[in-house]
Amino acid sequence: AQSVTQLDSHVSVSEGTPVLLRCNYSSSYSPSLFWYVQHPNKGLQLLLKYTSAATLVKGINGFEAEFKKSETSFHLTKPSAHMSDAAEYFCVVSGVTDSWGKFQFGAGTQVVVTP
Amino acid sequence: NAGVTQTPKFQVLKTGQSMTLQCAQDMNHNSMYWYRQDPGMGLRLIYYSASEGTTDKGEVPNGYNVSRLNKREFSLRLESAAPSQTSVYFCASSRGTGGGGTEAFFGQGTRLTVV
């Protein structure tokens, strides 16, 4: 079975400072990993995805994530936070076999950006 | 492009009433999903359809039924609504298996309140 743990339920950062959102996963097989963002009262937008081609993945709006198999982690970072980054972020894992086609969500990390 | 379209966007039901949430995608995707989102719990899978003609239970299927009407449409029915089903419901679709980096695309959500 697969699962996702987002290590922080809330993160508060100042505008212009780095953002780090932590995600650990468990999966019996090589997983696919995603980060989605949800702005208030909106749907979910894909930020980036890990497809096993490269361990460092670049996404939209300056976000990137690094896949570390040895640590079973897929942390999301951004060098400089912007006010528009205030949102909820979800780490998602999907795989094959018994978890075929199912996207397993973490509980989410709420990001607050202060001026 | 419309992507994934859900109707209605908002709904208030009385306990015991029934309703159907509609979802349609125009991306020729094989797989479709229904999730519910509750605070602090991320998104949890209710039902999914790997391909036209098939449906399967997810993590929280009790109290719900689904119909994959055709390749485009996947509906979710609440036969007898309960206050515990107050939630935001998201429909999603994906090209195929979650493995290989195939991401899910989400609708804008249906905010359901059961009183």
Side-chain angles (χ1 to χ4, degrees):
Chain A
Q2 59 191 17
S3 66
V4 181
T5 303
Q6 291 183 242
L7 299 174
D8 307 290
S9 58
H10 290 84
V11 168
S12 183
V13 298
S14 298
E15 190 176 20
T17 64
V19 181
L20 169 64
L21 305 183
R22 298 180 295 166
C23 173
N24 286 349
Y25 70 91
S26 68
S27 178
S28 300
Y29 298 85
S30 296
S32 294
L33 292 158
F34 311 85
W35 276 98
Y36 282 84
V37 61
Q38 184 182 32
H39 288 93
N41 300 313
K42 298 291 186 184
L44 285 89
Q45 180 184 19
L46 180 70
L47 275 179
L48 50 79
K49 63 182 180 182
Y50 168 70
T51 62
S52 76
T55 57
L56 184 62
V57 182
K58 294 188 184 299
I60 62 172
N61 300 335
F63 285 94
E64 63 181 36
E66 186 172 8
F67 173 71
K68 291 186 176 181
K69 186 175 183 178
S70 61
E71 299 177 9
T72 61
S73 69
F74 190 56
H75 301 334
L76 181 71
T77 60
K78 183 173 180 177
S80 177
H82 191 271
M83 295 299 291
S84 61
D85 295 328
E88 189 158 24
Y89 293 77
F90 294 98
C91 183
V92 181
V93 65
S94 186
V96 294
T97 68
D98 66 320
S99 300
W100 182 93
K102 302 178 189 178
F103 296 87
Q104 183 78 35
F105 279 73
T109 299
Q110 188 70 46
V111 172
V112 174
V113 183
T114 57
Chain B
N1 291 337
V4 179
T5 303
Q6 292 182 235
T7 55
K9 288 185 169 50
F10 300 93
Q11 184 72 48
V12 178
L13 289 179
K14 294 182 178 179
T15 298
Q17 286 186 318
S18 62
M19 79 161 295
T20 299
L21 281 65
Q22 306 287 352
C23 175
Q25 52 91 9
D26 63 0
M27 295 174 282
N28 201 35
H29 284 169
N30 291 313
S31 301
M32 297 186 73
Y33 313 82
W34 277 104
Y35 287 88
R36 61 176 289 172
Q37 182 180 24
D38 302 293
M41 304 187 76
L43 276 72
R44 293 179 293 168
L45 184 64
I46 304 171
Y47 271 92
Y48 72 103
S49 171
S51 61
E52 185 179 357
T54 68
T55 61
D56 210 343
K57 296 178 180 179
E59 184 182 355
V60 287
N62 291 345
Y64 305 95
N65 284 301
V66 291
S67 295
R68 183 74 183 266
L69 305 170
N70 48 54
K71 191 171 186 179
R72 290 186 65 248
E73 299 172 288
F74 189 39
S75 63
L76 178 71
R77 182 161 178 84
L78 286 71
E79 291 290 353
S80 178
S84 60
Q85 294 178 304
T86 293
S87 187
V88 181
Y89 291 84
F90 286 97
C91 178
S93 69
S94 69
R95 178 164 47 86
T97 64
T102 304
E103 69 265 34
F105 294 80
F106 288 83
Q108 290 300 298
T110 297
R111 189 172 297 272
L112 174 67
T113 302
V114 183
V115 297

